Amino acid sequence: MTNQVFSCPVCKEFLTIAGNSLKCKNNHSFDISKRGYVNLLLSKHNTNHGDDKNMVLSRRDFLNLGYYSKLANVVSGKVEQYAFSNCCILDLGCGEGYYTSHIKENLDKKCINGTVLGIDISKTALDYACRRNPGINYAVASAFDLPIPTDSVDIVVNIFAPHDIGEIGRVLKNNGILIMVLPQKKHLWELKEIVYDKPYENESPVPDFGNYSLSEDEELTYKINLSSNDEIANLFAMTPYVYNTSIEDKEKLNSINELTVTADFRIAVFKNKK
Ligand SMILES: C[S@@+](CC[C@H](N)C(=O)[O-])C[C@H]1O[C@@H](n2cnc3c(N)ncnc32)[C@H](O)[C@@H]1O
Ligand SMILES: [Zn+2]
């Protein structure tokens, strides 16, 4: 854990390491878990606890197969392009840390000394994220109320995760970079064709973020060959579709053991102008 990268969720003062806790100058104290993350979520204000264990493990098992490694390489490459010595990088809605650890390992390999933070509202996700790479500063918190000091982050990465553009703007420095990954129209189309009678394409507008200028906008589209029912089930279980699909529709996947599916990503890079 790095000193003063997080701020107190109660009084907003810097948090400093004190033994196995983080403490602010007003003595609000937050334990660092055995795995190494800190819980900065004031839970009485928040009832959304993000992805559950089943979703976290489905995502971990799927991502570990390497089908999204092309995306991880593009994201790490973009971070490297904008990173510099002693910069601060935040992965917002980092999940179980697949991309976060890829980013950190790439910076280490290129000898760029950056501080990497990961925020997610799911404790379970961070429990697994810490196992991937203990050199990352992980905190349980809401994307809508970040326990991060104003003007302290150089690069925010946001991959398929909830975000509040005002909060991102607050924590980003002037000229800071936001790298956002969004699903494109045809993302997972063949999976949706099996499950839904009338599948819809994703909407894929370029977000308009007021003060931000769009400096890069790339597409990454390729086919993935899934070769077992477990792989197909894990991919489905890590998507938001898992929340709003009927049991009957989900069961349509039970008899499928092979599937070629489209991965269709958009990687947009914005510069923050304060
Ligand atoms: C689709 S997953 C993406 C995870 C990761 N970025 C990845 O691509 O592997 C969305 C993540 O956002 C988290 N999440 C949901 N609501 C959140 C919130 N209000 N604040 C922070 N994280 C949130 C979930 O727990 C989940 O880990
Ligand atoms: Zn405090």
Side-chain angles (χ1 to χ4, degrees), residues 29-257:
S29 177
F30 304 89
D31 291 344
I32 300 171
S33 74
K34 259 192 240 136
R35 290 271 176 220
Y37 66 84
V38 63
N39 189 346
L40 300 177
L41 188 68
L42 299 179
S43 49
K44 59 179 178 195
H45 297 312
N46 211 310
T47 51
N48 165 8
H49 294 126
D51 283 7
D52 63 18
K53 189 165 179 181
N54 187 39
M55 286 186 87
V56 169
L57 290 179
S58 298
R59 178 168 297 112
R60 184 195 62 166
D61 291 350
F62 179 82
L63 292 173
N64 280 347
L65 295 170
Y67 291 123
Y68 283 6
S69 63
K70 284 185 189 173
L71 176 61
N73 289 336
V74 171
V75 171
S76 296
K78 295 272 171 235
V79 171
E80 182 189 334
Q81 185 184 329
Y82 293 100
F84 49 88
S85 190
N86 296 322
C87 65
C88 179
I89 298 151
L90 164 65
D91 186 0
L92 181 58
C94 60
E96 51 69 68
Y98 174 72
Y99 300 99
T100 335
S101 53
H102 203 285
I103 289 166
K104 171 79 175 133
E105 279 158 25
N106 185 52
L107 291 177
D108 289 349
K109 224 188 305 172
K110 303 289 161 60
C111 297
I112 302 171
N113 177 21
T115 303
V116 180
L117 317 181
I119 293 270
D120 201 283
I121 207 164
S122 162
K123 256 196 248 180
T124 314
L126 293 193
D127 197 81
Y128 284 95
C130 289
R131 301 179 211 201
R132 282 197 188 272
N133 190 323
I136 293 167
N137 300 274
Y138 283 116
V140 181
S142 167
F144 298 89
D145 186 13
L146 293 171
I148 294 183
T150 299
D151 292 336
S152 65
V153 176
D154 298 288
I155 302 171
V156 172
V157 176
N158 183 240
I159 305 175
F160 293 135
H163 54 269
D164 177 325
I165 202 62
E167 268 299 78
I168 294 177
R170 181 184 66 76
V171 302
L172 263 184
K173 295 177 188 168
N174 187 28
N175 288 327
I177 296 292
L178 166 61
I179 300 169
M180 191 167 259
V181 178
L182 303 156
Q184 287 249 87
K185 285 189 177 155
K186 288 287 185 191
H187 189 53
L188 305 185
W189 179 251
E190 298 81 354
L191 191 72
K192 285 157 74 174
E193 270 186 326
I194 293 173
V195 175
Y196 302 117
D197 294 335
K198 269 196 204 159
Y200 290 100
E201 291 186 348
N202 296 315
E203 288 175 17
S204 186
V206 184
D208 177 9
F209 288 151
N211 276 1
Y212 294 72
S213 58
L214 182 67
S215 57
E216 292 185 61
D217 192 8
E218 270 182 32
E219 292 173 10
L220 175 66
T221 307
Y222 60 96
K223 299 278 185 200
I224 293 171
N225 297 313
L226 302 172
S227 57
S228 75
N229 186 261
D230 277 354
E231 292 183 9
I232 296 164
N234 281 338
L235 175 57
F236 187 76
M238 68 186 245
T239 68
Y241 310 126
V242 77
Y243 290 123
N244 44 27
T245 304
S246 68
I247 294 174
E248 295 78 53
D249 280 346
K250 283 182 195 167
E251 281 175 350
K252 294 177 190 165
L253 288 173
N254 290 353
S255 55
I256 313 278
N257 296 310

